[in-house]
Coordinates of all heavy atoms in Angstrom, one line a residue:
M1 N 0.9 -1.2 0.0 CA 0.0 0.0 0.0 C 0.9 1.2 0.0 O 1.9 1.3 0.7 CB -0.9 0.0 1.2 CG -1.8 1.2 1.3 SD -3.1 1.1 2.5 CE -2.2 1.6 4.0
E2 N 0.5 2.2 -0.9 CA 1.3 3.4 -0.9 C 0.3 4.6 -0.6 O -0.9 4.5 -1.1 CB 1.9 3.7 -2.3 CG 2.8 2.6 -2.8 CD 3.2 2.8 -4.2 OE1 2.4 2.4 -5.1 OE2 4.2 3.5 -4.5
T3 N 0.7 5.6 0.0 CA -0.1 6.8 0.3 C 0.7 8.0 -0.2 O 1.9 8.1 -0.1 CB -0.4 7.0 1.8 OG1 0.7 7.1 2.5 CG2 -1.2 5.8 2.3
F4 N -0.1 9.0 -0.7 CA 0.5 10.2 -1.3 C -0.4 11.4 -0.8 O -1.6 11.3 -0.9 CB 0.4 10.2 -2.8 CG 1.1 9.1 -3.4 CD1 0.5 7.9 -3.7 CD2 2.5 9.2 -3.8 CE1 1.1 6.8 -4.3 CE2 3.1 8.1 -4.4 CZ 2.5 6.9 -4.6
E5 N 0.3 12.4 -0.2 CA -0.4 13.6 0.2 C -0.7 14.4 -1.1 O 0.2 14.7 -1.9 CB 0.4 14.4 1.1 CG -0.3 15.7 1.6 CD 0.6 16.5 2.5 OE1 1.7 16.1 2.8 OE2 0.1 17.6 2.9
I6 N -2.0 14.7 -1.3 CA -2.4 15.5 -2.5 C -2.5 17.0 -2.1 O -3.0 17.4 -1.1 CB -3.8 15.0 -3.0 CG1 -3.7 13.5 -3.3 CG2 -4.2 15.8 -4.2 CD1 -2.7 13.1 -4.4
I7 N -1.9 17.8 -3.0 CA -1.8 19.2 -2.8 C -2.7 20.0 -3.8 O -3.1 21.1 -3.5 CB -0.4 19.8 -2.8 CG1 0.3 19.5 -4.1 CG2 0.4 19.2 -1.6 CD1 1.6 20.2 -4.3
A8 N -3.1 19.4 -4.9 CA -3.9 20.0 -5.9 C -4.7 18.9 -6.6 O -4.2 17.8 -6.9 CB -3.1 20.8 -6.9
M9 N -5.9 19.3 -7.0 CA -6.8 18.3 -7.6 C -7.8 19.0 -8.5 O -8.3 20.1 -8.2 CB -7.5 17.5 -6.5 CG -8.3 16.4 -7.0 SD -9.1 15.5 -5.6 CE -8.1 15.8 -4.2
E10 N -8.1 18.4 -9.7 CA -9.2 18.9 -10.5 C -10.0 17.7 -11.0 O -9.4 16.6 -11.1 CB -8.8 19.8 -11.6 CG -8.1 19.1 -12.7 CD -7.7 20.1 -13.9 OE1 -7.6 21.3 -13.6 OE2 -7.5 19.6 -15.0
I11 N -11.3 17.9 -11.1 CA -12.2 16.8 -11.6 C -12.9 17.3 -12.9 O -13.2 18.5 -13.0 CB -13.2 16.4 -10.5 CG1 -14.0 17.6 -10.0 CG2 -12.5 15.7 -9.4 CD1 -15.2 17.2 -9.1
T12 N -13.2 16.4 -13.7 CA -14.0 16.7 -14.9 C -15.2 15.8 -14.8 O -15.1 14.6 -14.6 CB -13.2 16.3 -16.2 OG1 -12.0 17.1 -16.2 CG2 -14.0 16.6 -17.5
Y13 N -16.3 16.4 -15.0 CA -17.6 15.7 -14.9 C -18.6 16.6 -15.7 O -18.5 17.8 -15.9 CB -18.1 15.6 -13.5 CG -18.4 16.9 -12.8 CD1 -19.7 17.4 -12.7 CD2 -17.4 17.7 -12.3 CE1 -20.0 18.6 -12.1 CE2 -17.7 18.9 -11.7 CZ -18.9 19.3 -11.6 OH -19.2 20.5 -11.0
Q14 N -19.6 15.9 -16.3 CA -20.6 16.6 -17.1 C -20.0 17.6 -18.1 O -20.5 18.7 -18.2 CB -21.6 17.3 -16.2 CG -22.4 16.4 -15.2 CD -23.5 15.7 -15.9 OE1 -24.3 16.3 -16.6 NE2 -23.5 14.4 -15.8
Q15 N -18.9 17.2 -18.7 CA -18.2 18.1 -19.7 C -17.7 19.4 -19.2 O -17.6 20.4 -19.9 CB -19.1 18.3 -20.9 CG -19.5 17.0 -21.6 CD -20.3 17.2 -22.8 OE1 -21.0 18.2 -23.0 NE2 -20.4 16.2 -23.7
Q16 N -17.4 19.4 -17.9 CA -16.8 20.6 -17.3 C -15.7 20.2 -16.4 O -15.7 19.2 -15.8 CB -17.8 21.5 -16.6 CG -18.5 20.8 -15.4 CD -19.5 21.7 -14.7 OE1 -19.3 22.9 -14.5 NE2 -20.6 21.1 -14.3
T17 N -14.7 21.0 -16.3 CA -13.5 20.8 -15.4 C -13.5 21.8 -14.3 O -13.7 23.0 -14.6 CB -12.2 20.8 -16.2 OG1 -12.3 19.8 -17.3 CG2 -11.0 20.6 -15.4
K18 N -13.3 21.3 -13.1 CA -13.3 22.2 -11.9 C -12.2 21.9 -11.0 O -12.0 20.7 -10.7 CB -14.7 22.1 -11.2 CG -14.9 23.0 -10.1 CD -16.3 22.9 -9.7 CE -16.9 24.3 -9.5 NZ -18.3 24.3 -9.1
G19 N -11.5 22.9 -10.5 CA -10.5 22.7 -9.5 C -11.2 22.5 -8.2 O -12.3 23.1 -7.9
L20 N -10.7 21.6 -7.4 CA -11.4 21.2 -6.1 C -10.6 21.8 -5.0 O -9.4 21.5 -4.8 CB -11.4 19.7 -6.0 CG -12.4 19.1 -4.9 CD1 -13.8 19.5 -5.2 CD2 -12.3 17.6 -5.0
S21 N -11.2 22.7 -4.2 CA -10.5 23.3 -3.0 C -10.8 22.4 -1.8 O -11.9 21.9 -1.6 CB -11.0 24.7 -2.7 OG -12.3 24.7 -2.3
F22 N -9.7 22.1 -1.0 CA -9.8 21.2 0.1 C -8.8 21.6 1.1 O -7.8 22.3 0.8 CB -9.7 19.8 -0.3 CG -8.5 19.5 -1.1 CD1 -7.3 19.1 -0.5 CD2 -8.4 19.6 -2.5 CE1 -6.1 18.8 -1.2 CE2 -7.3 19.4 -3.2 CZ -6.1 19.0 -2.6
T23 N -8.9 21.1 2.4 CA -7.9 21.3 3.4 C -6.9 20.2 3.4 O -5.7 20.5 3.7 CB -8.5 21.5 4.8 OG1 -9.3 20.4 5.1 CG2 -9.4 22.8 4.8
S24 N -7.3 19.0 3.1 CA -6.3 17.9 3.1 C -6.9 16.8 2.2 O -8.1 16.6 2.1 CB -6.0 17.3 4.5 OG -7.1 16.7 5.0
A25 N -6.0 16.0 1.6 CA -6.4 14.9 0.7 C -5.3 13.9 0.7 O -4.1 14.2 0.7 CB -6.8 15.4 -0.7
E26 N -5.7 12.6 0.6 CA -4.7 11.5 0.6 C -5.1 10.5 -0.4 O -6.3 10.1 -0.4 CB -4.6 10.9 2.0 CG -3.6 9.8 2.0 CD -3.5 9.1 3.4 OE1 -4.5 8.5 3.8 OE2 -2.4 9.3 4.0
L27 N -4.2 10.2 -1.3 CA -4.4 9.2 -2.3 C -3.8 7.9 -1.8 O -2.7 7.9 -1.3 CB -3.7 9.5 -3.6 CG -3.5 8.4 -4.7 CD1 -4.9 8.0 -5.2 CD2 -2.6 8.9 -5.8
V28 N -4.6 6.8 -1.8 CA -4.1 5.5 -1.4 C -4.2 4.6 -2.6 O -5.2 4.4 -3.3 CB -5.0 4.9 -0.2 CG1 -4.5 3.5 0.2 CG2 -5.0 5.9 1.0
R29 N -3.0 3.9 -2.8 CA -2.9 3.0 -3.9 C -2.5 1.6 -3.3 O -1.5 1.5 -2.6 CB -1.9 3.4 -4.9 CG -1.8 2.6 -6.1 CD -1.0 3.2 -7.2 NE 0.4 3.5 -6.8 CZ 1.3 4.1 -7.6 NH1 0.9 4.5 -8.8 NH2 2.5 4.4 -7.2
V30 N -3.4 0.6 -3.6 CA -3.1 -0.7 -3.0 C -2.9 -1.7 -4.1 O -3.6 -1.7 -5.1 CB -4.4 -1.2 -2.2 CG1 -4.2 -2.6 -1.7 CG2 -4.8 -0.2 -1.2
T31 N -1.8 -2.5 -4.0 CA -1.5 -3.5 -5.0 C -1.4 -4.8 -4.2 O -0.6 -5.0 -3.4 CB -0.1 -3.2 -5.6 OG1 -0.1 -1.9 -6.2 CG2 0.2 -4.3 -6.7
E32 N -2.4 -5.7 -4.6 CA -2.4 -7.0 -4.0 C -2.7 -8.0 -5.1 O -3.7 -7.9 -5.8 CB -3.5 -7.1 -2.9 CG -3.2 -6.3 -1.7 CD -4.3 -6.4 -0.6 OE1 -5.2 -7.3 -0.8 OE2 -4.2 -5.7 0.4
Y33 N -1.9 -9.1 -5.1 CA -2.1 -10.2 -6.1 C -2.2 -9.7 -7.5 O -2.9 -10.2 -8.3 CB -3.4 -11.0 -5.7 CG -3.5 -11.4 -4.3 CD1 -4.4 -10.8 -3.4 CD2 -2.6 -12.4 -3.8 CE1 -4.4 -11.2 -2.1 CE2 -2.6 -12.7 -2.5 CZ -3.5 -12.2 -1.6 OH -3.5 -12.5 -0.3
G34 N -1.5 -8.6 -7.8 CA -1.4 -8.1 -9.2 C -2.6 -7.1 -9.5 O -2.5 -6.5 -10.6
D35 N -3.6 -7.0 -8.7 CA -4.7 -6.1 -8.9 C -4.3 -4.7 -8.3 O -3.7 -4.6 -7.2 CB -6.0 -6.6 -8.4 CG -6.5 -7.8 -9.1 OD1 -6.1 -8.0 -10.3 OD2 -7.2 -8.6 -8.5
R36 N -4.8 -3.7 -8.9 CA -4.6 -2.3 -8.3 C -5.9 -1.7 -7.9 O -6.9 -1.8 -8.7 CB -3.9 -1.4 -9.4 CG -2.5 -1.7 -9.5 CD -1.7 -0.4 -9.6 NE -0.3 -0.7 -9.3 CZ 0.6 0.1 -9.7 NH1 0.4 1.1 -10.4 NH2 1.9 -0.2 -9.3
L37 N -5.9 -1.2 -6.7 CA -7.1 -0.5 -6.2 C -6.6 0.9 -5.7 O -5.5 1.0 -5.2 CB -7.6 -1.3 -5.0 CG -8.6 -0.6 -4.0 CD1 -10.0 -0.5 -4.6 CD2 -8.6 -1.3 -2.7
W38 N -7.4 1.9 -6.0 CA -7.0 3.2 -5.5 C -8.2 4.0 -5.1 O -9.3 3.8 -5.5 CB -6.2 4.0 -6.5 CG -6.9 4.3 -7.8 CD1 -7.0 3.5 -8.9 CD2 -7.6 5.5 -8.1 NE1 -7.7 4.1 -9.9 CE2 -8.1 5.3 -9.4 CE3 -7.9 6.7 -7.4 CZ2 -8.9 6.3 -10.1 CZ3 -8.6 7.6 -8.0 CH2 -9.1 7.5 -9.3
Y39 N -8.0 5.0 -4.2 CA -9.0 5.9 -3.8 C -8.4 7.1 -3.2 O -7.2 7.2 -2.8 CB -10.0 5.3 -2.7 CG -9.3 4.8 -1.5 CD1 -9.2 5.6 -0.4 CD2 -8.8 3.5 -1.4 CE1 -8.6 5.2 0.8 CE2 -8.3 3.0 -0.2 CZ -8.2 3.9 0.9 OH -7.6 3.5 2.0
V40 N -9.2 8.2 -3.2 CA -8.7 9.5 -2.6 C -9.7 9.9 -1.5 O -10.9 9.9 -1.8 CB -8.6 10.6 -3.7 CG1 -8.1 11.9 -3.0 CG2 -7.7 10.2 -4.8
D41 N -9.3 10.2 -0.3 CA -10.1 10.7 0.7 C -9.8 12.2 0.8 O -8.6 12.6 0.9 CB -9.8 10.1 2.1 CG -10.4 8.7 2.1 OD1 -11.5 8.5 1.5 OD2 -9.8 7.8 2.8
V42 N -10.9 13.0 0.7 CA -10.7 14.5 0.6 C -11.5 15.1 1.8 O -12.6 14.8 2.0 CB -11.3 15.1 -0.7 CG1 -11.0 16.5 -0.8 CG2 -10.8 14.3 -1.9
N43 N -10.8 16.0 2.6 CA -11.4 16.6 3.7 C -11.4 18.1 3.5 O -10.6 18.7 2.9 CB -10.6 16.3 5.0 CG -10.6 14.9 5.3 OD1 -11.6 14.3 5.5 ND2 -9.4 14.2 5.3
G44 N -12.4 18.8 4.1 CA -12.5 20.2 4.1 C -12.8 20.7 2.7 O -12.3 21.7 2.2
V45 N -13.7 20.1 2.0 CA -14.1 20.5 0.6 C -14.8 21.9 0.7 O -15.8 22.0 1.5 CB -15.0 19.5 -0.1 CG1 -15.5 20.0 -1.4 CG2 -14.3 18.2 -0.2
G46 N -14.3 22.9 0.0 CA -14.8 24.2 0.2 C -16.1 24.5 -0.6 O -16.9 25.4 -0.3
D47 N -16.4 23.7 -1.6 CA -17.5 23.9 -2.5 C -18.7 23.1 -2.1 O -18.9 21.9 -2.5 CB -17.1 23.6 -4.0 CG -18.2 24.0 -5.0 OD1 -19.3 24.2 -4.6 OD2 -17.8 24.2 -6.1
R48 N -19.6 23.6 -1.2 CA -20.7 22.9 -0.7 C -21.7 22.6 -1.8 O -22.4 21.6 -1.8 CB -21.4 23.7 0.4 CG -20.6 23.8 1.7 CD -21.3 24.6 2.7 NE -20.5 24.8 3.9 CZ -20.8 24.2 5.0 NH1 -21.7 23.3 5.1 NH2 -20.0 24.4 6.1
E49 N -21.8 23.5 -2.8 CA -22.8 23.3 -3.9 C -22.4 22.1 -4.7 O -23.2 21.3 -5.2 CB -22.9 24.5 -4.8 CG -23.6 25.7 -4.1 CD -23.7 26.9 -5.0 OE1 -23.5 26.8 -6.3 OE2 -23.9 28.0 -4.5
L50 N -21.1 21.9 -4.9 CA -20.6 20.8 -5.6 C -20.9 19.5 -4.9 O -21.4 18.5 -5.5 CB -19.0 20.9 -5.8 CG -18.4 19.7 -6.6 CD1 -18.8 19.8 -8.1 CD2 -16.9 19.7 -6.4
L51 N -20.7 19.4 -3.6 CA -21.0 18.2 -2.8 C -22.5 17.9 -2.9 O -22.9 16.8 -3.1 CB -20.6 18.4 -1.4 CG -19.1 18.4 -1.1 CD1 -18.8 18.7 0.4 CD2 -18.4 17.1 -1.5
A52 N -23.3 19.0 -2.8 CA -24.8 18.8 -2.9 C -25.2 18.3 -4.3 O -26.0 17.4 -4.4 CB -25.5 20.1 -2.6
W53 N -24.5 18.8 -5.3 CA -24.8 18.3 -6.7 C -24.5 16.8 -6.8 O -25.4 16.1 -7.3 CB -24.1 19.1 -7.7 CG -24.5 18.8 -9.1 CD1 -25.5 19.3 -9.8 CD2 -23.9 17.7 -9.9 NE1 -25.6 18.7 -11.1 CE2 -24.6 17.7 -11.1 CE3 -22.9 16.8 -9.7 CZ2 -24.3 16.8 -12.2 CZ3 -22.6 15.9 -10.8 CH2 -23.3 15.9 -12.0
F54 N -23.4 16.4 -6.3 CA -23.0 15.0 -6.4 C -23.9 14.2 -5.5 O -24.2 13.0 -5.8 CB -21.5 14.8 -6.1 CG -20.6 14.9 -7.3 CD1 -20.0 16.1 -7.5 CD2 -20.5 13.9 -8.2 CE1 -19.2 16.3 -8.6 CE2 -19.7 14.1 -9.3 CZ -19.0 15.3 -9.5
G55 N -24.4 14.7 -4.4 CA -25.3 14.0 -3.5 C -26.7 13.8 -4.2 O -27.3 12.8 -3.8
Q56 N -27.0 14.6 -5.1 CA -28.3 14.5 -5.8 C -28.2 13.8 -7.1 O -29.2 13.3 -7.7 CB -29.0 15.9 -6.0 CG -29.2 16.6 -4.7 CD -30.3 15.9 -3.9 OE1 -31.3 15.5 -4.4 NE2 -30.1 15.9 -2.6
S57 N -27.0 13.7 -7.7 CA -26.9 13.2 -9.0 C -26.7 11.7 -9.1 O -26.2 11.0 -8.2 CB -25.6 13.8 -9.6 OG -25.4 13.3 -10.9
E58 N -27.2 11.1 -10.2 CA -27.0 9.7 -10.4 C -25.7 9.4 -11.2 O -25.2 8.3 -11.2 CB -28.2 9.1 -11.3 CG -29.5 9.1 -10.5 CD -30.6 8.5 -11.3 OE1 -30.3 7.8 -12.3 OE2 -31.7 8.7 -10.9
D59 N -25.2 10.5 -11.8 CA -23.9 10.4 -12.5 C -22.8 11.0 -11.7 O -22.5 12.2 -11.7 CB -24.0 11.1 -13.8 CG -22.8 11.0 -14.7 OD1 -21.9 10.2 -14.3 OD2 -22.7 11.8 -15.7
I60 N -22.1 10.1 -10.9 CA -21.0 10.6 -10.0 C -19.6 10.2 -10.6 O -18.6 10.4 -9.9 CB -21.2 10.0 -8.6 CG1 -21.2 8.5 -8.6 CG2 -22.5 10.6 -8.0 CD1 -21.2 7.9 -7.2
R61 N -19.6 9.9 -11.8 CA -18.3 9.5 -12.5 C -17.5 10.8 -12.8 O -18.0 11.8 -13.3 CB -18.6 8.8 -13.8 CG -17.4 8.3 -14.5 CD -17.8 7.4 -15.7 NE -16.7 6.8 -16.3 CZ -16.0 7.3 -17.3 NH1 -16.3 8.4 -17.9 NH2 -15.0 6.6 -17.8
V62 N -16.2 10.8 -12.4 CA -15.3 11.9 -12.6 C -14.0 11.4 -13.2 O -13.6 10.3 -13.1 CB -15.0 12.7 -11.3 CG1 -16.3 13.3 -10.8 CG2 -14.3 11.8 -10.3
Q63 N -13.4 12.3 -14.0 CA -12.0 12.1 -14.4 C -11.2 13.0 -13.4 O -11.4 14.2 -13.3 CB -11.8 12.6 -15.8 CG -10.4 12.4 -16.3 CD -10.3 12.7 -17.8 OE1 -11.2 12.6 -18.5 NE2 -9.1 13.1 -18.2
L64 N -10.2 12.3 -12.8 CA -9.4 13.0 -11.7 C -8.0 13.3 -12.2 O -7.4 12.4 -12.9 CB -9.4 12.1 -10.5 CG -8.4 12.5 -9.4 CD1 -8.9 13.7 -8.6 CD2 -8.1 11.3 -8.5
T65 N -7.5 14.4 -11.9 CA -6.1 14.8 -12.0 C -5.7 15.3 -10.7 O -6.3 16.2 -10.1 CB -5.9 15.8 -13.1 OG1 -6.3 15.4 -14.3 CG2 -4.4 16.1 -13.2
A66 N -4.7 14.6 -10.1 CA -4.2 15.0 -8.7 C -2.7 15.1 -8.7 O -2.0 14.3 -9.3 CB -4.7 13.9 -7.7
V67 N -2.3 16.2 -8.0 CA -0.8 16.4 -7.9 C -0.4 16.1 -6.4 O -1.0 16.7 -5.5 CB -0.5 17.9 -8.3 CG1 1.0 18.1 -8.1 CG2 -0.9 18.1 -9.7
A68 N 0.6 15.3 -6.2 CA 1.1 14.9 -4.9 C 2.1 15.9 -4.5 O 2.8 16.6 -5.3 CB 1.6 13.5 -4.9
R69 N 2.3 16.0 -3.2 CA 3.4 16.9 -2.6 C 4.8 16.5 -3.2 O 5.6 17.3 -3.4 CB 3.4 16.8 -1.1 CG 4.5 17.7 -0.5 CD 4.3 17.9 1.0 NE 3.1 18.5 1.4 CZ 2.7 19.8 1.2 NH1 3.5 20.6 0.6 NH2 1.6 20.2 1.7
S70 N 4.9 15.2 -3.6 CA 6.2 14.7 -4.1 C 6.4 15.2 -5.6 O 7.5 15.0 -6.1 CB 6.2 13.2 -4.1 OG 5.1 12.7 -4.9
G71 N 5.4 15.8 -6.2 CA 5.5 16.3 -7.6 C 4.9 15.4 -8.6 O 4.8 15.7 -9.7
Q72 N 4.5 14.2 -8.2 CA 3.9 13.2 -9.1 C 2.5 13.7 -9.4 O 1.8 14.2 -8.6 CB 3.9 11.8 -8.4 CG 5.2 11.2 -8.1 CD 5.1 10.2 -7.1 OE1 5.0 10.5 -5.9 NE2 5.2 8.9 -7.5
T73 N 2.1 13.4 -10.7 CA 0.8 13.7 -11.1 C 0.1 12.4 -11.4 O 0.6 11.5 -12.1 CB 0.8 14.6 -12.4 OG1 1.4 15.8 -12.1 CG2 -0.7 14.9 -12.9
F74 N -1.2 12.2 -10.9 CA -1.9 11.0 -11.1 C -3.2 11.4 -11.9 O -3.8 12.4 -11.6 CB -2.3 10.4 -9.8 CG -1.1 10.0 -8.9 CD1 -0.6 10.9 -8.0 CD2 -0.5 8.8 -9.1 CE1 0.5 10.5 -7.2 CE2 0.6 8.4 -8.4 CZ 1.1 9.2 -7.4
R75 N -3.6 10.5 -12.8 CA -4.8 10.6 -13.5 C -5.6 9.3 -13.5 O -5.0 8.2 -13.7 CB -4.5 11.0 -15.0 CG -3.9 12.3 -15.1 CD -3.7 12.7 -16.6 NE -2.7 13.8 -16.8 CZ -2.9 15.0 -16.6 NH1 -4.1 15.4 -16.1 NH2 -2.0 15.9 -16.8
G76 N -6.9 9.4 -13.4 CA -7.7 8.2 -13.4 C -9.2 8.6 -13.4 O -9.6 9.7 -13.3
I77 N -10.0 7.5 -13.7 CA -11.5 7.6 -13.7 C -12.0 7.1 -12.3 O -11.5 6.0 -11.9 CB -12.1 6.9 -14.8 CG1 -11.6 7.3 -16.2 CG2 -13.6 6.9 -14.8 CD1 -12.0 8.8 -16.5
G78 N -12.9 7.7 -11.7 CA -13.4 7.3 -10.4 C -14.8 7.8 -10.2 O -15.4 8.4 -11.1
Y79 N -15.3 7.5 -9.0 CA -16.7 7.9 -8.7 C -16.6 8.7 -7.4 O -16.0 8.3 -6.4 CB -17.6 6.7 -8.5 CG -17.8 5.9 -9.8 CD1 -16.9 4.9 -10.2 CD2 -18.7 6.3 -10.7 CE1 -17.0 4.3 -11.4 CE2 -18.9 5.7 -11.9 CZ -18.0 4.7 -12.3 OH -18.1 4.1 -13.5
L80 N -17.2 9.9 -7.4 CA -17.1 10.8 -6.3 C -18.3 10.6 -5.4 O -19.5 10.8 -5.8 CB -17.1 12.3 -6.8 CG -16.7 13.3 -5.7 CD1 -16.0 14.5 -6.3 CD2 -17.9 13.8 -4.9
H81 N -18.0 10.2 -4.1 CA -19.0 10.0 -3.1 C -18.9 11.1 -2.1 O -18.0 11.1 -1.3 CB -18.8 8.6 -2.4 CG -18.8 7.5 -3.4 ND1 -20.0 6.9 -3.8 CD2 -17.8 6.9 -4.1 CE1 -19.7 5.9 -4.7 NE2 -18.4 5.9 -4.8
P82 N -19.9 12.0 -2.1 CA -19.8 13.2 -1.2 C -20.3 12.8 0.3 O -21.1 11.9 0.4 CB -20.8 14.2 -1.8 CG -21.9 13.3 -2.4 CD -21.1 12.1 -2.9
N83 N -19.7 13.5 1.2 CA -20.1 13.4 2.6 C -20.4 14.8 3.0 O -19.6 15.5 3.6 CB -19.0 12.7 3.5 CG -19.4 12.6 4.9 OD1 -20.3 13.3 5.4 ND2 -18.8 11.7 5.6
E84 N -21.6 15.3 2.7 CA -22.0 16.7 2.9 C -21.9 17.1 4.3 O -21.3 18.2 4.6 CB -23.4 16.9 2.3 CG -23.5 16.8 0.8 CD -24.9 17.0 0.3 OE1 -25.4 18.2 0.5 OE2 -25.4 16.1 -0.2
P85 N -22.4 16.4 5.3 CA -22.3 16.9 6.7 C -20.9 17.1 7.2 O -20.6 18.0 8.0 CB -22.9 15.7 7.5 CG -23.8 15.0 6.6 CD -23.1 15.1 5.2
H86 N -19.9 16.4 6.6 CA -18.5 16.6 7.1 C -17.7 17.4 6.1 O -16.4 17.5 6.2 CB -17.9 15.2 7.3 CG -18.5 14.5 8.5 ND1 -19.4 13.5 8.4 CD2 -18.3 14.8 9.8 CE1 -19.7 13.1 9.6 NE2 -19.1 13.9 10.5
Q87 N -18.3 17.9 5.0 CA -17.6 18.6 3.9 C -16.4 17.8 3.4 O -15.3 18.3 3.3 CB -17.1 20.0 4.4 CG -18.3 21.0 4.5 CD -17.7 22.4 4.9 OE1 -17.8 22.8 6.1 NE2 -17.2 23.1 3.9
A88 N -16.7 16.6 3.1 CA -15.7 15.7 2.7 C -16.2 14.9 1.5 O -17.4 14.9 1.1 CB -15.3 14.7 3.8
A89 N -15.3 14.1 0.9 CA -15.6 13.3 -0.2 C -14.6 12.1 -0.4 O -13.5 12.3 0.1 CB -15.7 14.1 -1.5
A90 N -15.1 11.1 -1.0 CA -14.2 10.0 -1.3 C -14.3 9.7 -2.8 O -15.4 9.8 -3.4 CB -14.6 8.7 -0.6
I91 N -13.2 9.6 -3.5 CA -13.2 9.3 -4.9 C -12.7 7.8 -5.0 O -11.5 7.6 -4.7 CB -12.4 10.2 -5.7 CG1 -12.9 11.7 -5.6 CG2 -12.3 9.8 -7.2 CD1 -12.1 12.7 -6.2
R92 N -13.5 6.9 -5.4 CA -13.1 5.5 -5.5 C -12.8 5.2 -7.0 O -13.6 5.5 -7.9 CB -14.3 4.6 -5.1 CG -14.8 4.8 -3.7 CD -13.7 4.5 -2.7 NE -14.2 4.8 -1.3 CZ -13.5 5.4 -0.4 NH1 -12.3 5.9 -0.7 NH2 -14.0 5.6 0.8
G93 N -11.6 4.8 -7.2 CA -11.1 4.5 -8.5 C -11.8 3.4 -9.3 O -12.3 2.5 -8.7
D94 N -11.8 3.6 -10.6 CA -12.4 2.6 -11.5 C -11.4 2.3 -12.6 O -11.3 3.1 -13.5 CB -13.7 3.1 -12.1 CG -14.4 2.1 -13.0 OD1 -14.2 0.9 -12.8 OD2 -15.2 2.5 -13.9
G95 N -10.6 1.3 -12.4 CA -9.6 1.0 -13.4 C -8.2 1.5 -12.9 O -8.0 1.9 -11.8
E96 N -7.4 1.6 -13.9 CA -6.0 2.0 -13.7 C -5.8 3.5 -13.3 O -6.5 4.3 -13.8 CB -5.2 1.7 -14.9 CG -3.7 1.8 -14.7 CD -2.9 1.3 -16.0 OE1 -3.5 0.9 -17.0 OE2 -1.7 1.4 -15.9
L97 N -4.9 3.7 -12.4 CA -4.4 5.0 -12.1 C -3.1 5.3 -12.8 O -2.1 4.6 -12.5 CB -4.3 5.1 -10.5 CG -3.8 6.5 -10.0 CD1 -4.9 7.5 -10.2 CD2 -3.5 6.4 -8.5
L98 N -3.1 6.3 -13.6 CA -1.9 6.6 -14.4 C -1.0 7.6 -13.6 O -1.5 8.6 -13.1 CB -2.3 7.1 -15.8 CG -3.1 6.2 -16.6 CD1 -3.5 6.9 -17.9 CD2 -2.4 4.9 -16.9
E99 N 0.3 7.3 -13.6 CA 1.2 8.2 -12.9 C 2.1 8.9 -14.0 O 2.6 8.2 -14.9 CB 2.0 7.4 -12.0 CG 3.0 8.2 -11.2 CD 3.8 7.4 -10.2 OE1 3.4 6.3 -9.9 OE2 4.8 7.9 -9.7
Q100 N 2.2 10.2 -13.9 CA 3.1 10.9 -14.8 C 4.2 11.6 -14.1 O 4.2 11.9 -13.0 CB 2.3 12.0 -15.6 CG 1.2 11.4 -16.4 CD 0.3 12.4 -17.1 OE1 0.1 13.5 -16.5 NE2 -0.1 12.1 -18.3

């Protein structure tokens, strides 16, 4: 299991790209038995309207671009699960996470 502190993130959904403001975020990449699983936990999401939109939407698929403190850039497709009461979200990966 690898973890990366995320310092910048943007998501693309419904044909629009939006930078995501947050207080902290961590990308976790798990490799077991040759399969890869990844997710991002995001805390302190500043855009309450965005969380509310994802809470009401049936289409929660996003394209993620995330920059780690280490300088690595990650890209992947996932599903954004909002946690409105805590101003947080989880993005669960769907498929490969590309590292640049």
Side-chain angles (χ1 to χ4, degrees):
M1 180 170 82
E2 300 172 279
T3 61
F4 303 89
E5 181 183 357
I6 301 300
I7 59 170
M9 187 180 332
E10 72 177 22
I11 56 172
T12 301
Y13 64 99
Q14 299 282 310
Q15 300 180 339
Q16 62 180 320
T17 299
K18 186 172 227 181
L20 195 59
S21 66
F22 54 91
T23 56
S24 68
E26 182 179 67
L27 166 67
V28 177
R29 183 167 59 182
V30 180
T31 304
E32 291 182 10
Y33 309 109
D35 292 333
R36 283 219 161 160
L37 162 79
W38 63 272
Y39 59 91
V40 180
D41 285 327
V42 188
N43 297 301
V45 176
D47 191 339
R48 290 177 185 258
E49 288 180 21
L50 179 74
L51 290 178
W53 186 88
F54 275 97
Q56 299 293 318
S57 179
E58 291 182 20
D59 181 11
I60 59 171
R61 185 175 187 266
V62 297
Q63 181 175 333
L64 170 74
T65 301
V67 179
R69 181 165 302 284
S70 62
Q72 297 159 286
T73 300
F74 298 94
R75 296 183 196 285
I77 302 294
Y79 295 92
L80 192 149
H81 302 276
N83 183 336
E84 293 178 65
H86 292 102
Q87 286 184 260
I91 300 173
R92 302 295 179 226
D94 183 26
E96 189 174 0
L97 180 67
L98 303 175
E99 182 178 342
Q100 298 178 324

